[in-house]
Amino acid sequence: MKNNNRLIIFIILSMYTINATSQLQSMDWQIAYHKEETGQPDKWFTAQVPGAVQLDVMRGEQYAQPWWYGDNFHQFDWMESWYFTYKTHFKKPALKSGERLFFFSKGIDYQFKIYLNNQKIWEQEGMFTYVDLDLTNYLERENELKIVVMPIPTIGVMFEKGKETYRQNARESAKPAVSYGWDWHPRLVTRGIWDETGLIVRNQSHLSDVNVDYILNAALTNADISLEIEGNEIAGKGIRWVLKDPEGKIVVEKQLQLNEDNSSIHHSLHEIKLWWPNGYGDPSLYTSDVFLLDKNERIVEQHTRKIGFRKVRLIVNEKLREESSFPKTRSVAPISLEINNRRIFAKGSNWVHPELFVGLITPELYRKQLILAKEANFNILRIWGGGITNKEVFYDICDELGIMVWQEFPLACNNYTDDDKYLKVLEQEARSIIGRIRKHPCLAIWSGGNELFNSWSGMTDQSFALRLLNRLCYELDRHTPFIYTSPLYGIGHGHYLFYDKNRDEDVFQWMARAENTAYTEFAVPAAANVEVLKSFIPDEELYPPKLNTAWESHHAMGAWQADSWLDMPTLEKYFGKIKTVEKLVAYSQLLQCEGLKFIYEEARRQKPYCSMALSWCYQEPWPSAANNSLINWPNEIKPAYHHVANACRPVLASARIPKFEWNAGEVLSCDLYMLNDSYRSLEKSKMEVVMQYDDKEILLLTWDCPAADSSRNIEGPAATIVIPAMKRDLFTLSLKVKGKPEYNSSYLLLYSGEKIKRHLPSEAYYRGETEFSYNE
């Protein structure tokens, strides 16, 4: 029966067990390496779990540290073809009647075999599928558990410096391709136990799945909730379900006696509080507690998860420009996010894992970086397909903070094979990923992977891997949108430079001509903060930047193009000869601040046809001398972060400035806007446009900005001035809104003339403050 007025959403609650007999027990591990799978290691080292095989050997054999200093990371190159074995010993525990002992791991990278007392009990390819093994029937009084990690996946493509072909070795596996080397990531293919791992005691009777369905009415005010219980030997047991609202008030409390014909609970909940993304409302979360009870109604297990009620769709962008009314095989893809029946302008960035050795990622690091994303006025992060699927706590924090997640599967920039062996592994990994993430209200988009429809990847929507992923997402999570890849037709990736020497254009010029429904990758590079550079570049290499030094190996040159990512020719074009590393960093970061600010604001000025702006990239997994990130490794904010945060404010005054560099006598004419992504109406306001240069200030225009409806931009007049002769090389255009200083914006521009004095902005500029002053 077709019903267009109702929405069905399916969630699986992953189980978090808190009774004392079911806690994960950590283990003491050792590690060794050997050339052949059955080889006997000469020596064993203490292993850190979670961690990585490279780091354990580094500590055990006293390699040069830190591993990221200079070119120390090359110490790990030899390990790719070797086997690594973890081992641990434990005594058989005193199990009570009905108890079983399990080995549980949330992640082992990448292909491995598990032995208990020299008997193989499991083997697996894939790092995103949890391992959950009942050891009870194999136990002896003293036990030895071993995990043999296989060499890295490869198809035999050899490494060539300066080329990205080595990542083709990942095209027949679900191993994240980034570790084979990228323009911001060294060739360093990680392996090892990378997530929580240990022993766990469970009752013979235990829950395996708690499935929650809910149906929202058309007004999104009521939810008809269904709870489905699955487990092992649970017939005759009791279930108590308690649901608390975001304030902790119990809104549902029901009990059920389980049997073969009765394993579900139903309830109609009224006046629900919806989950909203950052900037559009509260990310309201309910707490669901499911208790498994014995015959005396004592708690055997307790499983706790958060639930967020929300509806998500990808819809056709407004004012879509179609060339024909006839059916056709390719059209501009729908990429406008609608949450709870409201269009959302998606503002954010591309997330790459914040540690190269992903076993080192902690909940604390996730939280710090995600809070920064929220404070930057972001509401979405694209989890790039070349990297990992994040640990569970990442999605928990996104739920809490209202950060939507665009989740890609582990495919990137390769033509992934149609081979049955690969597809079997991909299906296993995809089912695990979908089953784990679909319960999170933060999930907004599934994507097959990164840049798969292009000349260097060569995939199409007929590629078996993408057809498989589409089917699995429909089967397991049909109400979350799925796209095959990014970019699709109408979506933009790039540009990645402030100045394009081939076009002789800066970012202000090409971006204003761009016409995309979404900009899901764009960038302006910058050098790392000075103190970050000093932390990994030897003193004798610090300045000037040169090839065959840490500058090159940490991506400042020869990473993407010959000069990227530092791009010294562009810096010298605008600022002349640069004599110190401090000025190099300051000028480089100035371009990143102004370039990214312009792109974010221009994408918003193109609303409603454009609906999304995601920079490349948010952070980095190791210290880069120069790249496109907003946050230096390990968690150091670059100045562009503050300017991007300003550009992503819900409401702001904005100007479309034709270019960055100006000469005396040229006519500067800029279109004015009041940008509004909020769902509140704007009152009338008065905007002043002021040019500041050489300690002078000129009023260009006063605009009486009219009122505007919610989530609508206001386009104003053009402010025009003939550029006067100047003594200093930097000047600003400031937009000041009377009575609304939180809407103010400013733009730093370059004046090129004879006998000018070169100055840097003050420290306040690099903190994102809109009032400009020079650093004398």
Side-chain angles (χ1 to χ4, degrees):
M1 182 176 182
K2 188 173 181 180
N3 186 345
N4 291 325
N5 295 319
R6 297 174 77 79
L7 169 72
I8 301 175
I9 299 179
F10 179 67
I11 301 177
I12 289 197
L13 296 179
S14 75
M15 294 170 295
Y16 176 64
T17 307
I18 65 170
N19 66 301
T21 59
S22 296
Q23 292 299 295
L24 193 65
Q25 303 168 20
S26 61
M27 311 169 78
D28 294 326
W29 294 91
Q30 291 182 298
I31 195 169
Y33 57 86
H34 39 105
K35 190 62 177 173
E36 306 297 332
E37 181 178 352
T38 57
Q40 297 301 310
D42 296 327
K43 48 192 173 183
W44 293 84
F45 313 107
T46 299
Q48 176 183 317
V49 172
V53 300
Q54 288 94 338
L55 299 180
D56 293 330
V57 173
M58 177 189 72
R59 287 186 291 264
E61 296 193 331
Q62 298 182 341
Y63 284 11
Q65 299 188 45
W67 65 267
W68 37 264
Y69 185 83
D71 293 338
N72 286 351
F73 66 97
H74 284 307
Q75 299 171 121
F76 304 135
D77 289 351
W78 65 270
M79 298 183 182
E80 293 180 350
S81 62
W82 286 68
Y83 294 82
F84 289 82
T85 295
Y86 289 91
K87 73 175 180 181
T88 187
H89 297 88
F90 64 95
K91 295 181 182 295
K92 180 178 180 179
L95 299 173
K96 298 177 183 177
S97 176
E99 290 184 334
R100 311 285 293 183
L101 182 68
F102 288 78
F103 172 73
F104 179 74
S105 177
K106 289 186 175 182
I108 303 174
D109 179 10
Y110 164 75
Q111 186 174 0
F112 54 92
K113 299 177 182 179
I114 300 178
Y115 296 83
L116 182 62
N117 301 321
N118 295 317
Q119 181 178 352
K120 186 172 73 174
I121 60 174
W122 188 253
E123 61 180 297
Q124 179 175 309
E125 178 179 353
M127 62 184 288
F128 303 121
T129 299
Y130 289 0
V131 177
D132 198 0
L133 304 175
D134 187 344
L135 305 182
T136 311
N137 294 339
Y138 302 96
L139 292 174
E140 299 176 2
R141 184 175 179 180
E142 300 285 341
N143 298 275
E144 181 182 68
L145 184 71
K146 287 185 176 180
I147 303 173
V148 180
V149 181
M150 306 293 119
I152 70 167
T154 179
I155 61 171
V157 176
M158 301 302 292
F159 179 79
E160 294 182 69
K161 182 180 177 181
K163 296 184 178 181
E164 294 185 333
T165 53
Y166 197 60
R167 67 186 178 207
Q168 294 176 14
N169 285 302
R171 66 180 293 269
E172 295 182 1
S173 74
K175 174 74 174 172
V178 69
S179 59
Y180 291 83
W182 226 269
D183 55 78
W184 47 272
H185 189 295
R187 168 199 172 184
L188 210 172
V189 189
T190 58
R191 281 179 291 161
I193 303 174
W194 71 280
D195 207 345
E196 297 174 61
T197 296
L199 299 174
I200 189 168
V201 176
R202 297 195 188 111
N203 289 285
Q204 184 79 19
S205 301
H206 62 268
L207 301 177
S208 56
D209 272 330
V210 179
N211 306 331
V212 175
D213 287 325
Y214 61 82
I215 302 174
L216 301 180
N217 65 347
L220 306 184
T221 56
N222 302 332
D224 292 336
I225 309 172
S226 299
L227 204 75
E228 299 288 340
I229 309 298
E230 298 179 12
N232 184 64
E233 297 187 12
I234 58 174
K237 303 293 183 184
I239 285 289
R240 182 187 303 139
W241 178 41
V242 177
L243 185 67
K244 298 175 183 176
D245 71 11
E247 286 72 44
K249 177 184 175 182
I250 295 176
V251 292
V252 180
E253 188 167 15
K254 292 198 171 185
Q255 197 153 321
L256 169 72
Q257 196 73 18
L258 294 166
N259 56 57
E260 292 183 0
D261 300 320
N262 190 16
S263 61
S264 62
I265 298 176
H266 302 275
H267 183 81
S268 294
L269 185 63
H270 301 282
E271 298 181 2
I272 61 172
K273 297 177 180 179
L274 296 172
W275 185 93
W276 288 96
N278 184 33
Y280 291 89
D282 295 328
S284 298
L285 294 172
Y286 289 69
T287 302
S288 172
D289 289 305
V290 177
F291 303 90
L292 180 65
L293 309 174
D294 66 13
K295 61 183 179 181
N296 297 316
E297 296 198 355
R298 291 175 299 193
I299 296 175
V300 177
E301 292 183 34
Q302 177 182 343
H303 297 273
T304 301
R305 284 303 310 181
K306 299 291 185 179
I307 300 176
F309 296 108
R310 61 95 175 95
K311 172 186 175 183
V312 57
R313 294 199 305 157
L314 271 183
I315 59 178
V316 174
N317 292 49
E318 292 184 71
K319 297 185 178 179
L320 190 63
R321 303 168 179 87
E322 290 290 0
E323 297 175 359
S324 170
S325 60
F326 289 97
K328 52 189 176 183
T329 57
R330 285 292 179 271
S331 184
V332 174
I335 197 65
S336 184
L337 272 168
E338 183 187 79
I339 306 296
N340 302 332
N341 296 335
R342 284 186 169 182
R343 287 182 185 265
I344 302 295
F345 193 95
K347 297 173 291 193
S349 190
N350 284 263
W351 176 279
V352 300
H353 40 270
E355 288 281 359
L356 187 149
F357 292 107
V358 296
L360 303 183
I361 303 174
T362 63
E364 293 76 19
L365 180 56
Y366 273 141
R367 181 168 292 278
K368 287 178 181 178
Q369 294 201 342
L370 289 171
I371 287 174
L372 286 173
K374 179 178 180 179
E375 292 175 347
N377 299 303
F378 288 175
N379 55 36
I380 190 169
L381 292 168
R382 175 182 176 231
I383 314 305
W384 179 70
I388 67 164
T389 300
N390 285 286
K391 299 179 182 182
E392 184 72 16
V393 67
F394 170 88
Y395 303 95
D396 291 336
I397 299 170
C398 288
D399 290 343
E400 173 192 336
L401 298 179
I403 304 295
M404 296 182 292
V405 168
W406 166 333
Q407 181 65 53
E408 298 195 335
F409 292 96
L411 291 80
C413 295
N414 273 327
N415 191 343
Y416 288 84
T417 179
D418 289 342
D419 178 74
D420 286 343
K421 178 179 179 295
Y422 164 67
L423 294 173
K424 182 178 179 181
V425 174
L426 179 63
E427 178 167 3
Q428 165 206 290
E429 294 286 85
R431 285 185 176 275
S432 299
I433 291 168
I434 297 168
R436 182 160 64 87
I437 300 175
R438 63 184 172 183
K439 63 184 177 291
H440 289 278
C442 66
L443 178 64
I445 300 173
W446 290 111
S447 172
N450 176 68
E451 295 183 358
L452 301 176
F453 292 176
N454 48 47
S455 59
W456 56 89
S457 295
M459 298 183 76
T460 73
D461 51 13
Q462 294 304 305
S463 298
F464 284 5
L466 296 178
R467 291 172 62 187
L468 170 66
L469 293 173
N470 191 5
R471 175 178 68 82
L472 292 173
C473 286
Y474 181 82
E475 173 191 335
L476 300 174
D477 189 27
R478 69 184 64 185
H479 295 289
T480 300
F482 173 87
I483 62 175
Y484 284 106
T485 188
S486 181
L488 294 171
Y489 181 54
I491 299 173
H493 273 207
H495 208 316
Y496 302 93
L497 298 172
F498 186 91
Y499 171 75
D500 187 331
K501 62 183 179 182
N502 296 318
R503 299 180 184 177
D504 190 23
E505 288 184 331
D506 65 30
V507 62
F508 292 61
Q509 294 166 304
W510 64 256
M511 181 63 192
R513 290 199 314 273
E515 190 176 24
N516 289 302
T517 53
Y519 299 90
T520 53
E521 282 190 19
F522 56 83
V524 175
N529 297 341
V530 172
E531 292 307 311
V532 173
L533 293 174
K534 291 179 178 179
S535 73
F536 68 87
I537 298 179
D539 290 344
E540 65 275 14
E541 297 181 4
L542 187 59
Y543 202 79
K546 293 180 180 179
L547 292 170
N548 301 313
T549 69
W551 283 94
E552 181 182 8
S553 58
H554 289 251
H555 318 301
M557 51 201 72
W560 182 52
Q561 298 176 358
D563 298 316
S564 58
W565 290 113
L566 186 58
D567 202 6
M568 281 296 290
T570 293
L571 297 178
E572 292 177 346
K573 162 186 162 58
Y574 289 127
F575 306 111
K577 193 69 175 178
I578 301 172
K579 298 181 179 180
T580 67
V581 69
E582 288 78 11
K583 287 187 176 181
L584 170 70
V585 169
Y587 285 131
S588 175
Q589 293 184 345
L590 185 160
L591 293 185
Q592 187 179 46
C593 291
E594 293 304 318
L596 288 179
K597 181 196 307 181
F598 186 90
I599 299 174
Y600 273 101
E601 290 189 21
E602 179 58 30
R604 295 180 62 184
R605 289 191 288 264
Q606 295 177 15
K607 173 184 160 182
Y609 184 67
C610 177
S611 62
M612 187 178 298
L614 310 178
S615 68
W616 180 268
C617 54
Y618 183 57
Q619 82 286 62
E620 58 192 29
W622 84 311
S624 292
N627 77 351
N628 298 302
S629 67
L630 297 176
I631 299 175
N632 285 147
W633 183 88
N635 194 37
E636 300 293 327
I637 293 172
K638 291 161 77 172
Y641 166 87
H642 300 293
H643 289 260
V644 167
N646 286 341
C648 291
R649 288 171 290 167
V651 181
L652 73 148
S654 179
R656 178 183 285 145
I657 300 172
K659 61 178 183 174
F660 175 66
E661 185 178 18
W662 295 88
N663 294 289
E666 291 186 306
V667 178
L668 188 162
S669 182
C670 58
D671 298 325
L672 303 178
Y673 291 80
M674 185 68 78
L675 303 180
N676 179 22
D677 290 341
S678 71
Y679 270 86
R680 60 185 177 87
S681 299
L682 296 184
E683 299 176 352
K684 295 179 180 179
S685 60
K686 188 180 295 290
M687 183 191 301
E688 291 183 344
V689 183
V690 176
M691 176 183 284
Q692 297 160 313
Y693 72 98
D694 294 349
D695 299 322
K696 298 178 182 179
E697 189 170 292
I698 300 176
L699 177 64
L700 276 62
L701 179 74
T702 298
W703 173 35
D704 290 320
C705 182
D709 294 335
S710 62
S711 192
R712 293 291 173 181
N713 296 337
I714 309 169
E715 187 171 354
T720 303
I721 187 173
V722 176
I723 298 294
M726 301 183 188
K727 297 177 181 179
R728 292 172 168 172
D729 64 337
L730 298 175
F731 68 101
T732 63
L733 197 71
S734 296
L735 312 183
K736 300 180 180 182
V737 182
K738 187 175 181 179
K740 293 287 185 181
E742 66 272 22
Y743 296 173
N744 292 354
S745 298
S746 67
Y747 307 90
L748 185 61
L749 303 171
L750 182 68
Y751 174 79
S752 295
E754 296 181 1
K755 299 180 180 179
I756 58 171
K757 294 181 179 179
R758 297 215 175 268
H759 290 80
L760 287 168
S762 68
E763 290 299 318
Y765 169 82
Y766 292 102
R767 295 192 298 268
E769 297 180 17
T770 57
E771 290 295 327
F772 178 75
S773 62
Y774 293 101
N775 184 348
E776 299 294 347

PDB file of all heavy atoms in Angstrom, residues 530 578-588 758 760 766:
ATOM      1  N   VAL A 530      54.909  27.945  11.803  1.00  0.00           N
ATOM      2  CA  VAL A 530      56.367  27.945  11.957  1.00  0.00           C
ATOM      3  C   VAL A 530      56.815  26.915  12.988  1.00  0.00           C
ATOM      4  O   VAL A 530      57.771  26.152  12.744  1.00  0.00           O
ATOM      5  CB  VAL A 530      56.882  29.351  12.341  1.00  0.00           C
ATOM      6  CG1 VAL A 530      58.374  29.303  12.680  1.00  0.00           C
ATOM      7  CG2 VAL A 530      56.641  30.337  11.212  1.00  0.00           C
ATOM      8  N   ILE A 578      61.419  36.347  -0.724  1.00  0.00           N
ATOM      9  CA  ILE A 578      61.078  36.146   0.691  1.00  0.00           C
ATOM     10  C   ILE A 578      62.330  35.641   1.401  1.00  0.00           C
ATOM     11  O   ILE A 578      62.924  34.633   1.008  1.00  0.00           O
ATOM     12  CB  ILE A 578      59.919  35.151   0.835  1.00  0.00           C
ATOM     13  CG1 ILE A 578      58.681  35.689   0.079  1.00  0.00           C
ATOM     14  CG2 ILE A 578      59.577  34.926   2.303  1.00  0.00           C
ATOM     15  CD1 ILE A 578      57.540  34.712  -0.002  1.00  0.00           C
ATOM     16  N   LYS A 579      62.714  36.307   2.487  1.00  0.00           N
ATOM     17  CA  LYS A 579      64.031  36.069   3.075  1.00  0.00           C
ATOM     18  C   LYS A 579      64.028  35.224   4.335  1.00  0.00           C
ATOM     19  O   LYS A 579      65.095  34.780   4.763  1.00  0.00           O
ATOM     20  CB  LYS A 579      64.699  37.414   3.371  1.00  0.00           C
ATOM     21  CG  LYS A 579      64.947  38.262   2.124  1.00  0.00           C
ATOM     22  CD  LYS A 579      65.625  39.579   2.450  1.00  0.00           C
ATOM     23  CE  LYS A 579      65.887  40.410   1.203  1.00  0.00           C
ATOM     24  NZ  LYS A 579      66.541  41.705   1.505  1.00  0.00           N
ATOM     25  N   THR A 580      62.869  35.007   4.955  1.00  0.00           N
ATOM     26  CA  THR A 580      62.850  34.228   6.195  1.00  0.00           C
ATOM     27  C   THR A 580      61.705  33.231   6.162  1.00  0.00           C
ATOM     28  O   THR A 580      60.703  33.416   5.452  1.00  0.00           O
ATOM     29  CB  THR A 580      62.664  35.130   7.429  1.00  0.00           C
ATOM     30  OG1 THR A 580      61.348  35.708   7.402  1.00  0.00           O
ATOM     31  CG2 THR A 580      63.717  36.239   7.455  1.00  0.00           C
ATOM     32  N   VAL A 581      61.835  32.185   6.956  1.00  0.00           N
ATOM     33  CA  VAL A 581      60.766  31.199   7.026  1.00  0.00           C
ATOM     34  C   VAL A 581      59.517  31.802   7.655  1.00  0.00           C
ATOM     35  O   VAL A 581      58.383  31.436   7.303  1.00  0.00           O
ATOM     36  CB  VAL A 581      61.239  29.947   7.792  1.00  0.00           C
ATOM     37  CG1 VAL A 581      61.442  30.241   9.278  1.00  0.00           C
ATOM     38  CG2 VAL A 581      60.246  28.796   7.617  1.00  0.00           C
ATOM     39  N   GLU A 582      59.687  32.732   8.564  1.00  0.00           N
ATOM     40  CA  GLU A 582      58.532  33.369   9.204  1.00  0.00           C
ATOM     41  C   GLU A 582      57.691  34.140   8.192  1.00  0.00           C
ATOM     42  O   GLU A 582      56.450  34.053   8.189  1.00  0.00           O
ATOM     43  CB  GLU A 582      58.995  34.299  10.332  1.00  0.00           C
ATOM     44  CG  GLU A 582      59.515  33.598  11.558  1.00  0.00           C
ATOM     45  CD  GLU A 582      60.940  33.075  11.407  1.00  0.00           C
ATOM     46  OE1 GLU A 582      61.608  33.445  10.412  1.00  0.00           O
ATOM     47  OE2 GLU A 582      61.380  32.299  12.276  1.00  0.00           O
ATOM     48  N   LYS A 583      58.369  34.905   7.294  1.00  0.00           N
ATOM     49  CA  LYS A 583      57.616  35.645   6.285  1.00  0.00           C
ATOM     50  C   LYS A 583      57.026  34.703   5.234  1.00  0.00           C
ATOM     51  O   LYS A 583      55.929  34.940   4.718  1.00  0.00           O
ATOM     52  CB  LYS A 583      58.516  36.690   5.632  1.00  0.00           C
ATOM     53  CG  LYS A 583      58.818  37.872   6.544  1.00  0.00           C
ATOM     54  CD  LYS A 583      59.582  38.971   5.815  1.00  0.00           C
ATOM     55  CE  LYS A 583      59.793  40.175   6.722  1.00  0.00           C
ATOM     56  NZ  LYS A 583      60.509  41.283   6.044  1.00  0.00           N
ATOM     57  N   LEU A 584      57.763  33.647   4.920  1.00  0.00           N
ATOM     58  CA  LEU A 584      57.237  32.649   3.998  1.00  0.00           C
ATOM     59  C   LEU A 584      55.906  32.104   4.509  1.00  0.00           C
ATOM     60  O   LEU A 584      54.919  32.030   3.772  1.00  0.00           O
ATOM     61  CB  LEU A 584      58.250  31.517   3.837  1.00  0.00           C
ATOM     62  CG  LEU A 584      57.756  30.270   3.092  1.00  0.00           C
ATOM     63  CD1 LEU A 584      57.564  30.576   1.624  1.00  0.00           C
ATOM     64  CD2 LEU A 584      58.710  29.111   3.286  1.00  0.00           C
ATOM     65  N   VAL A 585      55.872  31.719   5.762  1.00  0.00           N
ATOM     66  CA  VAL A 585      54.655  31.166   6.348  1.00  0.00           C
ATOM     67  C   VAL A 585      53.547  32.215   6.377  1.00  0.00           C
ATOM     68  O   VAL A 585      52.387  31.942   6.033  1.00  0.00           O
ATOM     69  CB  VAL A 585      54.942  30.624   7.763  1.00  0.00           C
ATOM     70  CG1 VAL A 585      53.647  30.281   8.489  1.00  0.00           C
ATOM     71  CG2 VAL A 585      55.853  29.396   7.679  1.00  0.00           C
ATOM     72  N   ALA A 586      53.882  33.436   6.770  1.00  0.00           N
ATOM     73  CA  ALA A 586      52.876  34.490   6.883  1.00  0.00           C
ATOM     74  C   ALA A 586      52.228  34.792   5.525  1.00  0.00           C
ATOM     75  O   ALA A 586      50.998  34.912   5.432  1.00  0.00           O
ATOM     76  CB  ALA A 586      53.494  35.747   7.469  1.00  0.00           C
ATOM     77  N   TYR A 587      53.032  34.932   4.484  1.00  0.00           N
ATOM     78  CA  TYR A 587      52.481  35.229   3.163  1.00  0.00           C
ATOM     79  C   TYR A 587      51.681  34.039   2.626  1.00  0.00           C
ATOM     80  O   TYR A 587      50.605  34.215   2.027  1.00  0.00           O
ATOM     81  CB  TYR A 587      53.604  35.585   2.193  1.00  0.00           C
ATOM     82  CG  TYR A 587      54.178  36.968   2.389  1.00  0.00           C
ATOM     83  CD1 TYR A 587      55.556  37.163   2.470  1.00  0.00           C
ATOM     84  CD2 TYR A 587      53.351  38.086   2.469  1.00  0.00           C
ATOM     85  CE1 TYR A 587      56.089  38.435   2.634  1.00  0.00           C
ATOM     86  CE2 TYR A 587      53.881  39.365   2.633  1.00  0.00           C
ATOM     87  CZ  TYR A 587      55.246  39.532   2.727  1.00  0.00           C
ATOM     88  OH  TYR A 587      55.763  40.791   2.891  1.00  0.00           O
ATOM     89  N   SER A 588      52.215  32.853   2.803  1.00  0.00           N
ATOM     90  CA  SER A 588      51.521  31.658   2.328  1.00  0.00           C
ATOM     91  C   SER A 588      50.166  31.518   3.004  1.00  0.00           C
ATOM     92  O   SER A 588      49.140  31.252   2.346  1.00  0.00           O
ATOM     93  CB  SER A 588      52.401  30.433   2.601  1.00  0.00           C
ATOM     94  OG  SER A 588      51.732  29.243   2.272  1.00  0.00           O
ATOM     95  N   ARG A 758      56.475  46.867   1.799  1.00  0.00           N
ATOM     96  CA  ARG A 758      55.852  45.584   2.080  1.00  0.00           C
ATOM     97  C   ARG A 758      55.578  45.470   3.576  1.00  0.00           C
ATOM     98  O   ARG A 758      56.441  45.745   4.408  1.00  0.00           O
ATOM     99  CB  ARG A 758      56.729  44.432   1.612  1.00  0.00           C
ATOM    100  CG  ARG A 758      56.944  44.451   0.099  1.00  0.00           C
ATOM    101  CD  ARG A 758      57.014  43.049  -0.479  1.00  0.00           C
ATOM    102  NE  ARG A 758      57.098  43.090  -1.937  1.00  0.00           N
ATOM    103  CZ  ARG A 758      56.052  43.045  -2.736  1.00  0.00           C
ATOM    104  NH1 ARG A 758      54.830  42.982  -2.228  1.00  0.00           N
ATOM    105  NH2 ARG A 758      56.201  43.074  -4.043  1.00  0.00           N
ATOM    106  N   LEU A 760      53.199  43.057   6.589  1.00  0.00           N
ATOM    107  CA  LEU A 760      52.363  41.907   6.919  1.00  0.00           C
ATOM    108  C   LEU A 760      51.179  42.377   7.760  1.00  0.00           C
ATOM    109  O   LEU A 760      51.260  43.394   8.449  1.00  0.00           O
ATOM    110  CB  LEU A 760      53.170  40.878   7.698  1.00  0.00           C
ATOM    111  CG  LEU A 760      54.203  40.088   6.897  1.00  0.00           C
ATOM    112  CD1 LEU A 760      55.114  39.320   7.820  1.00  0.00           C
ATOM    113  CD2 LEU A 760      53.495  39.144   5.925  1.00  0.00           C
ATOM    114  N   TYR A 766      45.449  37.112  11.591  1.00  0.00           N
ATOM    115  CA  TYR A 766      45.632  35.660  11.567  1.00  0.00           C
ATOM    116  C   TYR A 766      44.751  34.951  12.593  1.00  0.00           C
ATOM    117  O   TYR A 766      44.650  33.728  12.582  1.00  0.00           O
ATOM    118  CB  TYR A 766      47.108  35.309  11.767  1.00  0.00           C
ATOM    119  CG  TYR A 766      47.965  35.734  10.591  1.00  0.00           C
ATOM    120  CD1 TYR A 766      48.744  36.884  10.651  1.00  0.00           C
ATOM    121  CD2 TYR A 766      47.964  35.005   9.414  1.00  0.00           C
ATOM    122  CE1 TYR A 766      49.512  37.288   9.560  1.00  0.00           C
ATOM    123  CE2 TYR A 766      48.730  35.391   8.328  1.00  0.00           C
ATOM    124  CZ  TYR A 766      49.500  36.531   8.399  1.00  0.00           C
ATOM    125  OH  TYR A 766      50.253  36.920   7.307  1.00  0.00           O
TER     126      TYR A 766
END
